[in-house]
Amino acid sequence: KAGKKDSSPGVRKLAIELGRKLGKGGDTSSELSSVLGAKYAVRMLEIPRIKLEHIKKHGKDFYIDAGLDVVKSKTFERKIWLEPKFANRLKRSLAESDFFKKNKSERADKKIIPFYALRRRASIAGEESLTHPQYMSFKFLKGHDLTAEERVYQGNRRVSDIIKMQKGIHHALKIE
């Protein structure tokens, strides 16, 4: 299958390293896109749709409120927890108009690693190391593979519960 080799262990870490290298060269869009894809499992086509108003704060935590204007069609709204340092950096960048232009984000996909490989590797790692409840929440975080009943259950959870579960997922997957 095409791209199977790309989803080997270490691909997410490599994507973030390559993104940081591009960021040092002035390509902040690619750097932030690499983190959103590798660490937070955001789809490449969703990244340019993220605007400043989608970044919300809950207590000391931040999350992307990915509504229907952000998510891929035929998927569902979801909340994606962000580490505060990254969230603040993302907010500063999004304050610039059209920060994630579609062509810039697509370039990030080509410059770094195909984003489908990042999501695939995250799924493999999740199957190997998450508990069943964590894996169900992880599938919700990624925006797929849930029944209508599971979507209602996951979508109606309190923001604090979603953030707590996603922090546990990041810890269990050792996403740095």
Side-chain angles (χ1 to χ4, degrees), residues 8-67:
S8 59
V11 71
R12 292 177 300 138
K13 182 179 179 181
L14 178 62
I16 291 172
E17 289 171 0
L18 291 171
R20 286 188 179 136
K21 186 176 178 180
L22 291 168
K24 286 180 182 174
D27 189 353
T28 308
S29 178
S30 291
E31 179 181 6
L32 295 175
S33 294
S34 72
V35 174
L36 286 168
K39 191 168 188 169
Y40 299 105
V42 178
R43 290 179 177 93
M44 176 47 57
L45 63 91
E46 294 170 339
I47 291 173
R49 298 174 184 172
I50 298 170
K51 306 288 182 238
L52 185 58
E53 61 265 20
H54 295 118
I55 310 301
K56 307 283 184 180
K57 188 171 184 180
H58 183 78
K60 295 180 181 179
D61 292 304
F62 291 87
Y63 64 96
I64 299 171
D65 192 4

Side-chain angles (χ1 to χ4, degrees), residues 23-126:
K24 286 180 182 174
D27 189 353
T28 308
S29 178
S30 291
E31 179 181 6
L32 295 175
S33 294
S34 72
V35 174
L36 286 168
K39 191 168 188 169
Y40 299 105
V42 178
R43 290 179 177 93
M44 176 47 57
L45 63 91
E46 294 170 339
I47 291 173
R49 298 174 184 172
I50 298 170
K51 306 288 182 238
L52 185 58
E53 61 265 20
H54 295 118
I55 310 301
K56 307 283 184 180
K57 188 171 184 180
H58 183 78
K60 295 180 181 179
D61 292 304
F62 291 87
Y63 64 96
I64 299 171
D65 192 4
L68 294 176
D69 56 335
V70 174
V71 299
K72 178 182 165 185
S73 67
K74 299 182 183 175
T75 61
F76 47 88
E77 301 177 41
R78 61 194 193 279
K79 293 172 178 38
I80 303 166
W81 169 75
L82 301 172
E83 291 175 319
K85 185 177 177 182
F86 178 76
N88 285 319
R89 183 152 185 243
L90 180 60
K91 284 176 61 173
R92 283 192 306 274
S93 296
L94 290 171
E96 301 172 18
S97 80
D98 294 331
F99 178 74
F100 285 124
K101 290 185 179 172
K102 189 167 177 58
N103 61 346
K104 285 185 181 179
S105 294
E106 287 174 354
R107 265 198 337 260
D109 190 29
K110 290 175 178 58
K111 286 181 184 176
I112 301 169
I113 290 169
F115 271 55
Y116 65 83
L118 300 176
R119 289 173 56 86
R120 182 182 306 145
R121 183 62 210 157
S123 292
I124 292 167

Side-chain angles (χ1 to χ4, degrees), residues 43 75-76 78 119 138-145:
R43 290 179 177 93
T75 61
F76 47 88
R78 61 194 193 279
R119 289 173 56 86
F138 184 58
K139 290 187 339 182
F140 178 78
L141 161 69
K142 289 179 31 182
H144 61 77
D145 290 343

